[in-house]
Amino acid sequence: MTSDHDTVWRRCALLGRVLLPLVDQEPWRQARRHETLKARDIDTATGERLIEVFAALTAHAVALDASLSAAEFDNLPLKVVADAATGKRDYELLAGLPDAFSDERDEQAVKVFRLYVYEGGQHSHQLFLLSRELRHALIVLSQRLPVPSPTCGDAFHRAGETGLPR
């Protein structure tokens, strides 16, 4: 049986998976992000995967801090997640993660993120840069959604409209 905590994590992981495709509806945004990652010596595929897991970890940390249930997660404002992307320390995002992940890809990405956190140095600096990219992506998405104070649920709704998984 799936616990509410595991369901919250899956919703957070889904937010991470749909974020960049929603932002990239304007193709120039993806090209700009790729240029930025390359300029910062971050492999594009690795950087984008880390942004995806960073979004999931950030939303998860915010949901835990607010004691949100899975049913309440969709009401979490994207602005709160964006603020936490640069407002929380990277190691704070690792607290309260599920013991096991249903998606091996998520588990692997979290392990890479954890490794970057603990290695420090250049990897820590790259996480700082990626946190800024994440915040920017969340702000762009928030501005694009046609509702005041858009929520994670609004992002999921938009993802469904564009054919992305919900």
Side-chain angles (χ1 to χ4, degrees), residues 10 38 68:
R10 280 201 305 280
K38 286 177 188 173
L68 296 180

Side-chain angles (χ1 to χ4, degrees), residues 1-10 67-72:
M1 178 172 231
T2 304
S3 73
D4 194 58
H5 183 250
D6 291 337
T7 304
V8 169
W9 169 256
R10 280 201 305 280
S67 299
L68 296 180
S69 68
E72 297 167 318

Side-chain angles (χ1 to χ4, degrees), residues 6-7 25 32 39 43 45 47 49 55 65 75 80 82 85 96 99 112 114 136 141 145-146 157:
D6 291 337
T7 304
Q25 289 178 349
R32 185 205 61 85
D43 175 75
R49 182 62 181 124
D65 288 350
N75 296 322
V80 173
D99 294 329
V112 169
R114 184 176 281 130
H136 177 73
L141 179 58
L145 295 172
H157 181 72

